[in-house]
Amino acid sequence: MSDPEVIVVGSGPNGLAAAITMAREGYRVLVLEAADTYGGGARTCELTLPGFRHDVCSAIHPLAMASPFLNKLGLEAHGLEWIEPPVPVAHPLHGGRVVALRRSLEETAEALGPDGEPYEDLLRPLVEAWEDLVGRFLRPLRPALYSRAALRFAQAAVRSAEGLCRRFETDDAKALVAGLAGHAVMPLDRSPSASVGIVLALLGHAVGWPFPRGGSQRLADAMAAILRSHGGTIETGRRVRSLDELPPARAVLLDVTPAQILRIAGDRLPSFYRRQLRSFRYGPGVCKIDLALDGPVPWSNALCRDTACVHVGGSFDEIADGEARVWRGEHPERPFVLVAQNSLFDDSRAPAGKQVVWAYCHVPNGSTIDMSPRIEAQIERFAPGFRDRILARHVMLPAELERRNENLLGGDIGGGAQTLWQLFARPALRWNPYTTPLPGVYVCSSSTPPGGGVHGMCGHLAARAALSAMEGADEAPPYHGPAKLADDSRQARLRRAARKS
């Protein structure tokens, strides 16, 4: 392409979202990716045996289906096909019992027995207003006049998962909350761990927990196709070590975490902003295993075969104990394990009659302990004979995850801890969190609001911030250096848009 007007560093879903947002406004966009393939946390490849396709990071995407940005892109027209299993998530318990989040709110409540009424009282107003709520919590938190549903959500979400469980009396309901809140990657007695659990339950009833046929890479492929249709370019194998390596551009959007911002632009940043980035807290990491199996996981309860996602950890107390130990820097003997078995519903993922399984547990950030035996033991506990079906395994400790995707610092898959403070100051305390003190340089990674998950909103909102600044002057200066692009006026951009139409 000719000289880019906008450069995006990093090609995860947020980087691609930022690039698409800018390209649709008529700007020449270049995406630079250090890895050999684009997609960041949405990549799929053969990790174990030929023909077994594993998601390298994300595998289930309720936030993508609900995202105000992604769900309006027309991804299906570019080859993306969503698969929605009958049950969003199942949670096996002692004695062969299973508690499940079903698509139907009423069926979920009915199965919870005496806790059905308080569960439905909590979720029904939120499910009925889900689009409004998703539009509010997938953006920076701001004091504003909120709807009644938003206030109801905030009142419950600001609590800890432990506090939320006080409204329930059965072990089944409490275990369901523990599994959902466990995605927060923080102790369940800390605020706002309840928020993640409520959001995931809400999405399960509103849109399900779907995933792309063929693997998460299909989502990245569809986004890349949309970007290219608007004239954008992606270059892989292009590691950016400093802003000085980049050509002049009107805006640079960094799909990276605070540690990388310091490395790429630290010498240009004022000291106060640098101190904030250095104090940014990363969350625990994960130890992940990918398995090739000669058949489905032999769950004791057949309901676990009606879902692509299984929460393995037992009771609320067991999960809470394990997550608290991880936060303290320990490695629990019985970790909370998240299991994805997409190939039960997607025969493109494994040879006929075979299966792929994706599983991980939380570990202290930067851990070097191989937790795969403990992960497998937890699954075996609820699926006797599981180990006998393993044909091959691939283990990724935090260092390997970070090698494959530098945003997963120390194995942190969320772009930073979702503490109460970092809900408001992410990655630093600024009115517009996507801006930096450097004119024309923005942050668009999951280290900005609304945080982790595949939704593209961090990138889209960062791009909107950049567009707002760029539209403020016909001749905006480049982000660095004295050079200024030719033909970069607002009138010229409108002429390019008119030619495209």
Side-chain angles (χ1 to χ4, degrees), residues 131-143:
E131 288 183 284
D132 173 70
L133 288 174
V134 169
R136 292 178 189 276
F137 64 64
L138 286 185
R139 61 181 59 248
L141 297 179
R142 291 281 187 269

Side-chain angles (χ1 to χ4, degrees), residues 68-152:
F69 175 72
L70 291 181
N71 68 18
K72 292 180 173 61
L73 274 185
L75 294 163
E76 292 78 8
H78 294 271
L80 183 67
E81 178 184 350
W82 290 107
I83 295 175
E84 184 184 342
V87 175
V89 64
H91 188 128
L93 295 164
H94 179 70
R97 300 183 353 264
V98 167
V99 59
L101 177 75
R102 293 167 170 83
R103 187 71 152 80
S104 164
L105 175 61
E106 293 79 9
E107 290 178 8
T108 304
E110 183 179 357
L112 290 175
D115 281 328
E117 185 174 346
Y119 180 86
E120 191 166 358
D121 286 346
L122 171 67
L123 269 299
R124 180 168 295 284
L126 309 184
V127 173
E128 291 175 350
W130 76 267
E131 288 183 284
D132 173 70
L133 288 174
V134 169
R136 292 178 189 276
F137 64 64
L138 286 185
R139 61 181 59 248
L141 297 179
R142 291 281 187 269
L145 293 175
Y146 286 110
S147 65
R148 181 176 298 179
L151 291 172
R152 187 184 183 100

Side-chain angles (χ1 to χ4, degrees), residues 141 184-187 190-193 280-283 327 416-426:
L141 297 179
V185 202
M186 65 188 305
R190 291 199 179 196
S191 173
S193 56
F280 184 80
R281 180 169 186 175
Y282 292 89
W327 198 259
Q418 292 276 19
T419 61
L420 193 59
W421 170 252
Q422 288 190 176
L423 288 180
F424 295 91
R426 188 177 182 91

Side-chain angles (χ1 to χ4, degrees), residues 8 12-19 21-22 63 67-70 137-140 223 253-256 407 413-416 418 422 426-427 432-435 442-466:
V8 179
N14 283 313
L16 292 174
T21 301
M22 302 299 285
L63 282 170
S67 166
F69 175 72
L70 291 181
F137 64 64
L138 286 185
R139 61 181 59 248
M223 294 183 73
L253 293 103
L254 302 174
D255 183 11
V256 301
N407 278 11
I413 61 175
Q418 292 276 19
Q422 288 190 176
R426 188 177 182 91
N432 189 328
Y434 310 103
T435 64
Y442 303 85
V443 187
C444 66
S445 71
S446 58
S447 296
T448 64
V454 177
H455 43 68
M457 291 298 293
C458 304
H460 173 63
L461 293 171
R464 298 305 307 177

Side-chain angles (χ1 to χ4, degrees), residues 337-487:
V337 177
L338 292 95
V339 177
Q341 45 186 13
N342 307 63
S343 58
L344 285 178
F345 310 94
D346 180 3
D347 58 11
S348 72
R349 302 290 296 276
K354 312 300 181 184
Q355 300 290 329
V356 295
V357 164
W358 166 111
Y360 73 77
C361 73
H362 302 139
V363 294
N365 192 280
S367 167
T368 59
I369 303 297
D370 182 357
M371 294 287 284
S372 59
R374 302 183 206 186
I375 292 173
E376 292 176 16
Q378 281 285 70
I379 300 174
E380 181 83 19
R381 176 183 166 196
F382 299 100
F386 157 72
R387 283 197 182 101
D388 296 336
R389 297 196 173 179
I390 298 176
L391 300 173
R393 61 174 56 81
H394 180 272
V395 180
M396 284 191 280
L397 304 185
E400 173 67 9
L401 286 162
E402 185 177 342
R403 186 188 68 79
R404 289 176 176 270
N405 182 349
E406 292 182 30
N407 278 11
L408 309 185
L409 199 71
D412 177 358
I413 61 175
Q418 292 276 19
T419 61
L420 193 59
W421 170 252
Q422 288 190 176
L423 288 180
F424 295 91
R426 188 177 182 91
L429 186 60
R430 293 176 69 82
W431 178 251
N432 189 328
Y434 310 103
T435 64
T436 74
L438 300 179
V441 178
Y442 303 85
V443 187
C444 66
S445 71
S446 58
S447 296
T448 64
V454 177
H455 43 68
M457 291 298 293
C458 304
H460 173 63
L461 293 171
R464 298 305 307 177
L467 286 168
S468 178
M470 293 164 72
E471 293 297 320
D474 284 349
E475 299 292 333
Y479 77 94
H480 79 283
K484 178 168 63 66
L485 292 171
D487 197 30

Side-chain angles (χ1 to χ4, degrees), residues 3 38 50 159 346 396 433:
D3 290 341
Y38 58 79
R159 307 177 70 182
D346 180 3
M396 284 191 280

